[in-house]
């Protein structure tokens, strides 16, 4: 039975079929990098993220980030006492003084982005801070340093690669959404239904 | 300017008056028009059906018929595309391809005429873009400019650039799909005096379906409408 | 799934005549996707992006053996296990054996056309393993026991009312529940499935050879969950899905989204290198990449059809196709439908099983203008039509008719003679019974011949 064949044999057969398919064919050159000519800066990032359905907030000058976020969450979360799940890499000063809960139960997840791309409104999230915090909560807050905003997605990915791709990287560019039911847009289908980007 | 008319099999048999109007228009614009009498079909039906040998035979015949023509004008975007785009692919690169024009493009681009007259003043027109004129020949604005230049109001038709469902053999091989496509176009049609197209095949498809569904829309070939535009010149 | 592509004409007729709701739902959804795609293309230098993407894919396909070996080496370095499957049976076997050997009892799945192609779900279910589709559209279809009808929106042929009735029956939602409530019910149901699953199965949009990165694009977040929560992740990837360098990803992620949904990028993109290494990263302990051929090397060997392997499965050609819009995907009788299906399926399955598909097109060319990797679909439709005619896979009457027409059209005197009577006879009741003409007159009036042919008017002299 073919399915039971030796794995190496299958591999070599496929590669040999590829080679025989390509024999006599000219190898075509790689066209080089694509210049996507994206626009940079907080403004460009914000407007793209907002188009994607996310919310962008800038830390008020002089405010303590944790307290500030706590106040922001009071407005965004309609629960008496919102609970938070925090990613492994989030420094203490960015954590609001709210009760913590496991990501399965928390009302808010808090992460720090490694970087962002303005042209697509994309946040780069490493797996090392814990993926559940990024995925299981209804509201996901991502802290982002202004200096980490790239104009182009390609540059954001390059800098991520230099830092180390690790097991996985998540690119989040908006809230979870679907139009699979009657072409009506619904948010929060599986992942967070709200994405808030807090710019430092 | 010497022009040979390649009338196409559909226009010869189903839009004879429109083809005659094309001749009137071209003469009016100072062209000396000839009609090579041995012309038949450009070969597109066989080409699109995948009958390569048959397509080549008809293409060779047509290339021979048109070999001495300075310019070839075709009152059909689809057949013009066959001659200009498919003939070279069939190995007939030295044939009439580079000298062949769809009627509206010939008048607007080659003769560089922006306004034929004001004979269409007050007329509202929906212009159906034939797929091959639009996507193979890249003709998007030429005929519309001529219609508007003569005073016609070319209405915004959301599906103006969508296929009518003719597709030659396709229309009889897949009748329910082909008809549903015609309906999609007709259903989105605004109120107009005429539906105009430079393609006889599309006009046959749309008008035959409209008549079956009791729709009394008036369908006209571009050639007749352009002649009317010029003839009505003050 | 069974291949029913030979029945295209009948399947299409049945859908159009018996289920008008499908045509309405598909037309509406595709028109919205297509309009979004046009807007998104207008924001960029679409022509330059498309040529670039075509170039990258051509490069990778003409060096495919090298890039497959490079991807394999990188993935192994990253701690992932690479498997090779020559055909659907081998692919099913690899995944099923893997699941069984590791005591897997339940599997969550992200949307993957390749798993439909190889019919993975029944193979797992046969072994007593529960399989849960987690993409909302796929979940709806799993409950309905239906196949996807669109690459991106698998359930676009189903209306809100259809889903309301289905969920009321299966999930106990109200009969008039709004989409938000319906989605919430599905989320609750599937969240539990995510938590208990031992294995997540996904497809793959791209596999980067340089870094061994598997890229997955989505909007719901279910693929991120599928590839993160269960202890084992298995990705099925067609061998044509490779990209040469990590730097190529940014362009392809954007172009695929713009072509498919008109977004700048999918809401979630997973870039997966291998199993979790850092403590607390919530990733799988094992990552398996199954590289699947299943006919792709045959397509690669075809000097014309190999260009279909550039396809990134964005669905743009479906959305813009006036033929697809009338029926949705089920008429095409197999996994890949629409214009790309009409040129890909003959390559993957053989023309004998799929001969009507290349003819399911008016050759309008809209698909080529939409395709982000510039697959010359109209040319390839003709390529397969020629092959079908040459191999006698079309009706004899059609071939005989075209041969007779050619014989006539290359004999001007005969053509002129027959042209005098032909069009008039075509309108008569006798001739309406011929297949080619009854196909016309079933839904349309016979065309009205001009009273006099043009050539008659010409010979009489055309006056102003």
């Amino acid at each position: 039975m073919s399915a039971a064949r030796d794995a190496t044999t299958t591999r070599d057969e496929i590669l040999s079929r590829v080679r025989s398919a390509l024999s006599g064919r000219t190898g075509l050159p790689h066209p080089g990098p694509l210049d996507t000519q994206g626009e940079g800066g907080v403004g460009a990032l914000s407007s793209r993220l907002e188009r994607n359905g996310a919310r962008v907030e800038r830390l008020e000058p002089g405010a303590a980030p944790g307290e500030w976020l706590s106040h922001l969450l009071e407005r965004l979360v309609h629960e008496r006492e919102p609970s938070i799940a925090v990613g492994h890499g989030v420094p203490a000063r960015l954590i609001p003084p709210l009760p913590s809960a496991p990501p399965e139960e928390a009302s808010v997840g808090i992460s720090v982005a490694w970087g962002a791309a303005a042209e697509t409104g994309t946040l780069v999230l490493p797996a090392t801070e814990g993926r559940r915090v990024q995925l299981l909560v209804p509201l996901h807050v991502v802290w982002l340093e202004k200096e980490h905003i790239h104009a182009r997605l390609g540059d954001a990915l390059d800098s991520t690669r230099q830092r180390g791709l690790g097991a996985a990287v998540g690119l989040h560019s908006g809230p979870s959404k679907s139009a699979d039911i009657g072409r009506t847009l619904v948010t929060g289908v599986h992942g967070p239904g709200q994405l808030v980007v807090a710019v430092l | 300017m010497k022009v040979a008319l390649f009338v196409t099999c559909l226009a010869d048999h189903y839009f004879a008056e429109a083809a005659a109007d094309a001749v009137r228009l071209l003469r009016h614009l100072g062209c000396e028009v000839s009609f090579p009498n041995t012309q038949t079909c450009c070969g597109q039906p066989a080409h699109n059906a995948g009958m390569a040998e048959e397509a080549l035979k008809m293409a060779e015949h047509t290339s021979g018929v048109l070999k001495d023509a300075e310019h070839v004008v075709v009152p059909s975007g689809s057949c013009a595309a066959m001659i200009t785009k498919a003939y070279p692919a069939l190995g007939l690169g030295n044939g009439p391809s580079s000298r062949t024009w769809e009627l509206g493009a010939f008048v607007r681009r080659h003769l560089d005429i922006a306004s034929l007259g004001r004979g269409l003043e007050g007329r509202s027109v929906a212009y159906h873009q034939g797929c091959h004129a639009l996507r193979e020949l890249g003709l998007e604005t030429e005929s519309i400019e001529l219609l508007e230049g003569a005073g016609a109001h070319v209405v915004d038709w959301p599906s103006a650039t969508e296929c009518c469902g003719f597709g030659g053999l396709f229309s009889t091989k897949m009748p329910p799909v082909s008809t549903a496509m015609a309906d999609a176009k007709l259903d989105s049609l605004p109120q107009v005096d005429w539906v105009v197209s430079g393609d006889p095949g599309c006009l046959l498809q749309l008008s035959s379906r409209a008549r079956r569904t009791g729709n009394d829309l008036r369908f006209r070939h571009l050639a007749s409408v352009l002649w009317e535009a010029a003839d009505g010149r003050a | 799934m069974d291949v029913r592509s030979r029945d295209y004409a009948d399947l299409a007729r049945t859908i159009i005549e018996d289920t008008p709701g499908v045509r309405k739902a598909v037309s509406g959804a595709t028109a919205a996707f297509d309009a979004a795609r046009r807007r998104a293309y207008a924001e960029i230098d679409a022509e330059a992006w498309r040529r670039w993407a075509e170039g990258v894919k051509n490069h990778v396909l003409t060096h495919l053996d090298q890039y497959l070996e490079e991807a394999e080496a990188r993935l192994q370095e990253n701690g992932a296990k690479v498997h090779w499957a020559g055909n659907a049976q081998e692919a099913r076997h690899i995944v099923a054996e893997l699941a069984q050997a590791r005591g897997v009892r339940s599997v969550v799945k992200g949307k993957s056309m390749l798993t439909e192609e190889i019919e993975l779900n029944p193979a797992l279910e046969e072994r007593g393993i529960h399989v849960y589709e987690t993409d909302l559209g796929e979940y709806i279809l799993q409950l309905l026991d239906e196949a996807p009808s669109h690459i991106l929106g698998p359930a676009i042929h189903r209306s809100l009312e259809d889903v309301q009735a289905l969920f009321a029956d299966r999930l106990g939602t109200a009969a008039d529940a709004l989409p938000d409530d319906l989605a919430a019910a599905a989320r609750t149901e599937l969240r539990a499935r995510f938590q208990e699953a031992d294995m997540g199965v996904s497809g793959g949009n791209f596999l980067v050879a340089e870094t061994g990165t598997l890229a997955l694009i989505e909007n719901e977040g279910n693929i991120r969950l599928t590839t993160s929560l269960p202890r084992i992740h298995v990705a099925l990837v067609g061998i044509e899905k490779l990209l040469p360098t990590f730097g190529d990803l940014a362009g392809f992620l954007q172009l695929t989204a713009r072509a498919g949904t008109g977004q700048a990028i999918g809401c979630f993109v997973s870039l997966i290198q291998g199993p979790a290494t850092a403590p607390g990263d919530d990733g799988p302990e094992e990552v398996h990449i199954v590289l699947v051929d299943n006919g792709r090397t045959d397509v690669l060997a075809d000097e014309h059809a190999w260009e279909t392997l550039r396809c990134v499965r964005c669905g743009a050609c479906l959305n813009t196709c006036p033929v697809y819009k009338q029926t949705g995907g089920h008429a095409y009788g197999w996994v890949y439908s629409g214009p790309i299906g009409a040129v890909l399926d003959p390559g993957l399955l053989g023309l004998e099983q799929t001969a009507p598909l290349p003819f399911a097109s008016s050759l309008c060319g809209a698909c080529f203008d939409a395709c982000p990797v510039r697959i010359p679909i109209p040319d390839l439709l003709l390529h397969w039509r020629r092959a079908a005619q040459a191999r006698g896979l079309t009706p004899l009457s059609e071939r005989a008719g075209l041969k007779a027409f050619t014989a006539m059209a290359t004999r001007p005197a005969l053509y002129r003679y027959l042209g005098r009577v032909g069009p008039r006879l075509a309108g008569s009741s006798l001739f309406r019974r011929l297949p080619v003409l009854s196909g016309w007159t079933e839904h349309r009036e016979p065309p009205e011949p001009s009273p006099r042919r043009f050539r008659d008017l010409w010979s009489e002299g055309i006056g102003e």
Side-chain angles (χ1 to χ4, degrees), chain A residues 5 11 17 28 32 88 132 167 171-172 176 190, chain C residues 52 72 90 134 220 224 269 273 280 282 293:
Chain A
R5 274 180 318 154
R11 174 191 184 276
R17 282 203 297 271
L28 297 167
H88 305 312
R132 288 169 186 258
L171 307 180
H172 288 207
S176 158
H190 287 292
Chain C
W52 173 83
E72 180 189 40
E90 289 177 6
T134 63
E220 295 182 10
R224 288 220 66 202
V269 173
Q273 281 69 234
D282 304 331
D293 179 348

PDB file of all heavy atoms in Angstrom, chain A residues 5 11 17 28 32 88 132 167 171-172 176 190, chain C residues 52 72 90 134 220 224 269 273 280 282 293:
ATOM      1  N   ARG A   5       4.351   3.424   2.515  1.00  0.00           N
ATOM      2  CA  ARG A   5       5.714   3.435   2.006  1.00  0.00           C
ATOM      3  C   ARG A   5       6.651   4.256   2.885  1.00  0.00           C
ATOM      4  O   ARG A   5       6.244   5.137   3.621  1.00  0.00           O
ATOM      5  CB  ARG A   5       5.746   3.985   0.582  1.00  0.00           C
ATOM      6  CG  ARG A   5       5.481   2.904  -0.454  1.00  0.00           C
ATOM      7  CD  ARG A   5       5.518   3.503  -1.814  1.00  0.00           C
ATOM      8  NE  ARG A   5       4.814   4.780  -1.794  1.00  0.00           N
ATOM      9  CZ  ARG A   5       5.084   5.746  -2.638  1.00  0.00           C
ATOM     10  NH1 ARG A   5       6.040   5.602  -3.517  1.00  0.00           N
ATOM     11  NH2 ARG A   5       4.399   6.866  -2.587  1.00  0.00           N
ATOM     12  N   ARG A  11       9.501  11.362  -0.164  1.00  0.00           N
ATOM     13  CA  ARG A  11      10.192  12.642  -0.280  1.00  0.00           C
ATOM     14  C   ARG A  11      11.031  12.688  -1.555  1.00  0.00           C
ATOM     15  O   ARG A  11      10.942  13.628  -2.357  1.00  0.00           O
ATOM     16  CB  ARG A  11      11.090  12.840   0.942  1.00  0.00           C
ATOM     17  CG  ARG A  11      11.976  14.063   0.885  1.00  0.00           C
ATOM     18  CD  ARG A  11      13.007  14.017   2.015  1.00  0.00           C
ATOM     19  NE  ARG A  11      13.812  15.233   2.027  1.00  0.00           N
ATOM     20  CZ  ARG A  11      14.895  15.419   1.262  1.00  0.00           C
ATOM     21  NH1 ARG A  11      15.274  14.475   0.394  1.00  0.00           N
ATOM     22  NH2 ARG A  11      15.568  16.542   1.327  1.00  0.00           N
ATOM     23  N   ARG A  17      10.218  14.180  -9.047  1.00  0.00           N
ATOM     24  CA  ARG A  17       9.170  14.615  -9.987  1.00  0.00           C
ATOM     25  C   ARG A  17       9.281  16.125 -10.249  1.00  0.00           C
ATOM     26  O   ARG A  17       9.098  16.585 -11.369  1.00  0.00           O
ATOM     27  CB  ARG A  17       7.768  14.290  -9.430  1.00  0.00           C
ATOM     28  CG  ARG A  17       7.378  12.819  -9.598  1.00  0.00           C
ATOM     29  CD  ARG A  17       5.866  12.638  -9.574  1.00  0.00           C
ATOM     30  NE  ARG A  17       5.249  13.032  -8.311  1.00  0.00           N
ATOM     31  CZ  ARG A  17       5.071  12.213  -7.279  1.00  0.00           C
ATOM     32  NH1 ARG A  17       5.476  10.947  -7.358  1.00  0.00           N
ATOM     33  NH2 ARG A  17       4.501  12.644  -6.176  1.00  0.00           N
ATOM     34  N   LEU A  28      13.663  31.201 -13.518  1.00  0.00           N
ATOM     35  CA  LEU A  28      13.376  32.632 -13.634  1.00  0.00           C
ATOM     36  C   LEU A  28      13.921  33.374 -12.421  1.00  0.00           C
ATOM     37  O   LEU A  28      13.944  32.832 -11.318  1.00  0.00           O
ATOM     38  CB  LEU A  28      11.871  32.852 -13.787  1.00  0.00           C
ATOM     39  CG  LEU A  28      11.290  32.224 -15.068  1.00  0.00           C
ATOM     40  CD1 LEU A  28       9.775  32.191 -15.039  1.00  0.00           C
ATOM     41  CD2 LEU A  28      11.791  32.971 -16.299  1.00  0.00           C
ATOM     42  N   GLY A  32      13.529  40.810  -6.828  1.00  0.00           N
ATOM     43  CA  GLY A  32      14.052  41.741  -5.827  1.00  0.00           C
ATOM     44  C   GLY A  32      12.949  42.216  -4.912  1.00  0.00           C
ATOM     45  O   GLY A  32      11.812  41.764  -5.016  1.00  0.00           O
ATOM     46  N   HIS A  88       3.682  38.006  29.602  1.00  0.00           N
ATOM     47  CA  HIS A  88       4.904  37.853  30.394  1.00  0.00           C
ATOM     48  C   HIS A  88       5.858  39.040  30.268  1.00  0.00           C
ATOM     49  O   HIS A  88       6.580  39.352  31.192  1.00  0.00           O
ATOM     50  CB  HIS A  88       5.665  36.581  29.972  1.00  0.00           C
ATOM     51  CG  HIS A  88       4.841  35.354  30.044  1.00  0.00           C
ATOM     52  ND1 HIS A  88       4.076  35.016  31.133  1.00  0.00           N
ATOM     53  CD2 HIS A  88       4.645  34.360  29.128  1.00  0.00           C
ATOM     54  CE1 HIS A  88       3.448  33.868  30.909  1.00  0.00           C
ATOM     55  NE2 HIS A  88       3.772  33.458  29.694  1.00  0.00           N
ATOM     56  N   ARG A 132      -2.230  33.148  24.914  1.00  0.00           N
ATOM     57  CA  ARG A 132      -3.614  33.156  25.400  1.00  0.00           C
ATOM     58  C   ARG A 132      -4.087  34.562  25.722  1.00  0.00           C
ATOM     59  O   ARG A 132      -5.238  34.915  25.485  1.00  0.00           O
ATOM     60  CB  ARG A 132      -3.733  32.271  26.658  1.00  0.00           C
ATOM     61  CG  ARG A 132      -3.633  30.815  26.334  1.00  0.00           C
ATOM     62  CD  ARG A 132      -3.492  29.970  27.606  1.00  0.00           C
ATOM     63  NE  ARG A 132      -3.264  28.585  27.233  1.00  0.00           N
ATOM     64  CZ  ARG A 132      -4.206  27.646  27.259  1.00  0.00           C
ATOM     65  NH1 ARG A 132      -5.419  27.923  27.682  1.00  0.00           N
ATOM     66  NH2 ARG A 132      -3.930  26.420  26.875  1.00  0.00           N
ATOM     67  N   ALA A 167       9.305  30.722  18.297  1.00  0.00           N
ATOM     68  CA  ALA A 167       8.394  29.679  17.818  1.00  0.00           C
ATOM     69  C   ALA A 167       7.322  30.268  16.921  1.00  0.00           C
ATOM     70  O   ALA A 167       6.944  29.668  15.916  1.00  0.00           O
ATOM     71  CB  ALA A 167       7.745  28.977  19.008  1.00  0.00           C
ATOM     72  N   LEU A 171       0.646  38.635  14.108  1.00  0.00           N
ATOM     73  CA  LEU A 171       0.440  39.991  13.609  1.00  0.00           C
ATOM     74  C   LEU A 171      -1.039  40.311  13.799  1.00  0.00           C
ATOM     75  O   LEU A 171      -1.897  39.660  13.203  1.00  0.00           O
ATOM     76  CB  LEU A 171       0.811  40.091  12.123  1.00  0.00           C
ATOM     77  CG  LEU A 171       2.198  39.595  11.713  1.00  0.00           C
ATOM     78  CD1 LEU A 171       2.400  39.763  10.206  1.00  0.00           C
ATOM     79  CD2 LEU A 171       3.296  40.327  12.482  1.00  0.00           C
ATOM     80  N   HIS A 172      -1.318  41.287  14.663  1.00  0.00           N
ATOM     81  CA  HIS A 172      -2.715  41.665  14.891  1.00  0.00           C
ATOM     82  C   HIS A 172      -2.958  43.042  14.277  1.00  0.00           C
ATOM     83  O   HIS A 172      -2.233  43.990  14.566  1.00  0.00           O
ATOM     84  CB  HIS A 172      -3.024  41.714  16.387  1.00  0.00           C
ATOM     85  CG  HIS A 172      -3.081  40.360  17.021  1.00  0.00           C
ATOM     86  ND1 HIS A 172      -3.830  40.096  18.152  1.00  0.00           N
ATOM     87  CD2 HIS A 172      -2.502  39.186  16.688  1.00  0.00           C
ATOM     88  CE1 HIS A 172      -3.704  38.809  18.486  1.00  0.00           C
ATOM     89  NE2 HIS A 172      -2.889  38.247  17.614  1.00  0.00           N
ATOM     90  N   SER A 176     -11.139  40.652  16.010  1.00  0.00           N
ATOM     91  CA  SER A 176     -11.644  39.443  15.356  1.00  0.00           C
ATOM     92  C   SER A 176     -12.949  39.764  14.672  1.00  0.00           C
ATOM     93  O   SER A 176     -13.836  40.393  15.250  1.00  0.00           O
ATOM     94  CB  SER A 176     -11.852  38.370  16.422  1.00  0.00           C
ATOM     95  OG  SER A 176     -12.770  37.399  15.986  1.00  0.00           O
ATOM     96  N   HIS A 190     -13.867  34.728  17.416  1.00  0.00           N
ATOM     97  CA  HIS A 190     -13.064  33.790  18.215  1.00  0.00           C
ATOM     98  C   HIS A 190     -12.037  34.542  19.045  1.00  0.00           C
ATOM     99  O   HIS A 190     -11.870  34.294  20.213  1.00  0.00           O
ATOM    100  CB  HIS A 190     -12.351  32.783  17.310  1.00  0.00           C
ATOM    101  CG  HIS A 190     -13.260  31.763  16.732  1.00  0.00           C
ATOM    102  ND1 HIS A 190     -13.867  30.793  17.492  1.00  0.00           N
ATOM    103  CD2 HIS A 190     -13.694  31.565  15.468  1.00  0.00           C
ATOM    104  CE1 HIS A 190     -14.624  30.031  16.724  1.00  0.00           C
ATOM    105  NE2 HIS A 190     -14.538  30.478  15.477  1.00  0.00           N
TER     106      HIS A 190
ATOM    107  N   TRP C  52       5.314  41.984  -9.545  1.00  0.00           N
ATOM    108  CA  TRP C  52       6.315  41.534  -8.575  1.00  0.00           C
ATOM    109  C   TRP C  52       5.934  40.144  -8.029  1.00  0.00           C
ATOM    110  O   TRP C  52       6.769  39.226  -7.989  1.00  0.00           O
ATOM    111  CB  TRP C  52       6.415  42.557  -7.433  1.00  0.00           C
ATOM    112  CG  TRP C  52       7.288  42.103  -6.315  1.00  0.00           C
ATOM    113  CD1 TRP C  52       8.652  42.187  -6.243  1.00  0.00           C
ATOM    114  CD2 TRP C  52       6.866  41.462  -5.093  1.00  0.00           C
ATOM    115  NE1 TRP C  52       9.093  41.645  -5.070  1.00  0.00           N
ATOM    116  CE2 TRP C  52       8.029  41.191  -4.334  1.00  0.00           C
ATOM    117  CE3 TRP C  52       5.623  41.095  -4.579  1.00  0.00           C
ATOM    118  CZ2 TRP C  52       7.978  40.567  -3.091  1.00  0.00           C
ATOM    119  CZ3 TRP C  52       5.563  40.471  -3.340  1.00  0.00           C
ATOM    120  CH2 TRP C  52       6.738  40.218  -2.607  1.00  0.00           C
ATOM    121  N   GLU C  72      12.530  22.503   4.293  1.00  0.00           N
ATOM    122  CA  GLU C  72      12.586  21.315   5.146  1.00  0.00           C
ATOM    123  C   GLU C  72      13.709  21.438   6.174  1.00  0.00           C
ATOM    124  O   GLU C  72      13.505  21.192   7.381  1.00  0.00           O
ATOM    125  CB  GLU C  72      12.799  20.070   4.279  1.00  0.00           C
ATOM    126  CG  GLU C  72      12.871  18.777   5.079  1.00  0.00           C
ATOM    127  CD  GLU C  72      13.308  17.598   4.217  1.00  0.00           C
ATOM    128  OE1 GLU C  72      14.220  17.778   3.369  1.00  0.00           O
ATOM    129  OE2 GLU C  72      12.731  16.515   4.379  1.00  0.00           O
ATOM    130  N   GLU C  90      -1.920   9.312   0.935  1.00  0.00           N
ATOM    131  CA  GLU C  90      -0.740   9.382   1.808  1.00  0.00           C
ATOM    132  C   GLU C  90      -0.878  10.521   2.816  1.00  0.00           C
ATOM    133  O   GLU C  90      -0.512  10.376   3.980  1.00  0.00           O
ATOM    134  CB  GLU C  90       0.528   9.590   0.961  1.00  0.00           C
ATOM    135  CG  GLU C  90       0.910   8.358   0.158  1.00  0.00           C
ATOM    136  CD  GLU C  90       2.130   8.584  -0.733  1.00  0.00           C
ATOM    137  OE1 GLU C  90       2.761   9.653  -0.663  1.00  0.00           O
ATOM    138  OE2 GLU C  90       2.443   7.658  -1.511  1.00  0.00           O
ATOM    139  N   THR C 134     -13.605  25.225  12.811  1.00  0.00           N
ATOM    140  CA  THR C 134     -13.770  26.366  13.714  1.00  0.00           C
ATOM    141  C   THR C 134     -13.970  27.699  12.991  1.00  0.00           C
ATOM    142  O   THR C 134     -14.420  28.663  13.599  1.00  0.00           O
ATOM    143  CB  THR C 134     -12.552  26.502  14.664  1.00  0.00           C
ATOM    144  OG1 THR C 134     -11.390  26.757  13.880  1.00  0.00           O
ATOM    145  CG2 THR C 134     -12.366  25.246  15.482  1.00  0.00           C
ATOM    146  N   GLU C 220     -10.793  35.807  11.914  1.00  0.00           N
ATOM    147  CA  GLU C 220     -11.583  35.458  13.099  1.00  0.00           C
ATOM    148  C   GLU C 220     -10.734  35.200  14.333  1.00  0.00           C
ATOM    149  O   GLU C 220     -11.184  35.412  15.452  1.00  0.00           O
ATOM    150  CB  GLU C 220     -12.432  34.215  12.804  1.00  0.00           C
ATOM    151  CG  GLU C 220     -13.479  34.471  11.730  1.00  0.00           C
ATOM    152  CD  GLU C 220     -14.358  33.260  11.468  1.00  0.00           C
ATOM    153  OE1 GLU C 220     -14.281  32.272  12.243  1.00  0.00           O
ATOM    154  OE2 GLU C 220     -15.115  33.289  10.484  1.00  0.00           O
ATOM    155  N   ARG C 224      -5.319  31.192  14.763  1.00  0.00           N
ATOM    156  CA  ARG C 224      -4.321  31.402  15.827  1.00  0.00           C
ATOM    157  C   ARG C 224      -4.607  30.454  16.997  1.00  0.00           C
ATOM    158  O   ARG C 224      -3.687  29.900  17.587  1.00  0.00           O
ATOM    159  CB  ARG C 224      -4.350  32.866  16.314  1.00  0.00           C
ATOM    160  CG  ARG C 224      -3.771  33.860  15.300  1.00  0.00           C
ATOM    161  CD  ARG C 224      -2.934  34.930  15.996  1.00  0.00           C
ATOM    162  NE  ARG C 224      -1.746  34.351  16.597  1.00  0.00           N
ATOM    163  CZ  ARG C 224      -1.056  34.904  17.583  1.00  0.00           C
ATOM    164  NH1 ARG C 224      -1.417  36.074  18.087  1.00  0.00           N
ATOM    165  NH2 ARG C 224       0.004  34.312  18.088  1.00  0.00           N
ATOM    166  N   VAL C 269      -2.460  37.386  11.505  1.00  0.00           N
ATOM    167  CA  VAL C 269      -1.529  36.577  10.719  1.00  0.00           C
ATOM    168  C   VAL C 269      -0.660  35.814  11.711  1.00  0.00           C
ATOM    169  O   VAL C 269      -0.122  36.401  12.657  1.00  0.00           O
ATOM    170  CB  VAL C 269      -0.639  37.454   9.803  1.00  0.00           C
ATOM    171  CG1 VAL C 269       0.433  36.603   9.128  1.00  0.00           C
ATOM    172  CG2 VAL C 269      -1.483  38.179   8.762  1.00  0.00           C
ATOM    173  N   GLN C 273       7.197  29.177  13.250  1.00  0.00           N
ATOM    174  CA  GLN C 273       8.490  28.579  12.914  1.00  0.00           C
ATOM    175  C   GLN C 273       8.609  27.131  13.406  1.00  0.00           C
ATOM    176  O   GLN C 273       9.314  26.325  12.822  1.00  0.00           O
ATOM    177  CB  GLN C 273       9.643  29.400  13.510  1.00  0.00           C
ATOM    178  CG  GLN C 273       9.995  30.657  12.734  1.00  0.00           C
ATOM    179  CD  GLN C 273       8.910  31.736  12.817  1.00  0.00           C
ATOM    180  OE1 GLN C 273       8.443  32.216  11.797  1.00  0.00           O
ATOM    181  NE2 GLN C 273       8.489  32.082  14.034  1.00  0.00           N
ATOM    182  N   GLY C 280       5.730  29.085  28.853  1.00  0.00           N
ATOM    183  CA  GLY C 280       4.629  30.036  28.936  1.00  0.00           C
ATOM    184  C   GLY C 280       4.273  30.710  27.628  1.00  0.00           C
ATOM    185  O   GLY C 280       3.539  31.682  27.618  1.00  0.00           O
ATOM    186  N   ASP C 282       2.487  29.319  25.410  1.00  0.00           N
ATOM    187  CA  ASP C 282       1.177  28.766  25.067  1.00  0.00           C
ATOM    188  C   ASP C 282       1.136  28.109  23.689  1.00  0.00           C
ATOM    189  O   ASP C 282       0.101  28.064  23.053  1.00  0.00           O
ATOM    190  CB  ASP C 282       0.071  29.849  25.083  1.00  0.00           C
ATOM    191  CG  ASP C 282      -0.017  30.583  26.401  1.00  0.00           C
ATOM    192  OD1 ASP C 282       0.317  29.976  27.437  1.00  0.00           O
ATOM    193  OD2 ASP C 282      -0.435  31.758  26.387  1.00  0.00           O
ATOM    194  N   ASP C 293       1.881  16.831  -2.516  1.00  0.00           N
ATOM    195  CA  ASP C 293       1.976  16.953  -3.971  1.00  0.00           C
ATOM    196  C   ASP C 293       0.579  16.796  -4.581  1.00  0.00           C
ATOM    197  O   ASP C 293      -0.016  17.758  -5.047  1.00  0.00           O
ATOM    198  CB  ASP C 293       2.955  15.887  -4.509  1.00  0.00           C
ATOM    199  CG  ASP C 293       3.090  15.924  -6.030  1.00  0.00           C
ATOM    200  OD1 ASP C 293       2.283  16.610  -6.693  1.00  0.00           O
ATOM    201  OD2 ASP C 293       3.988  15.255  -6.580  1.00  0.00           O
TER     202      ASP C 293
END
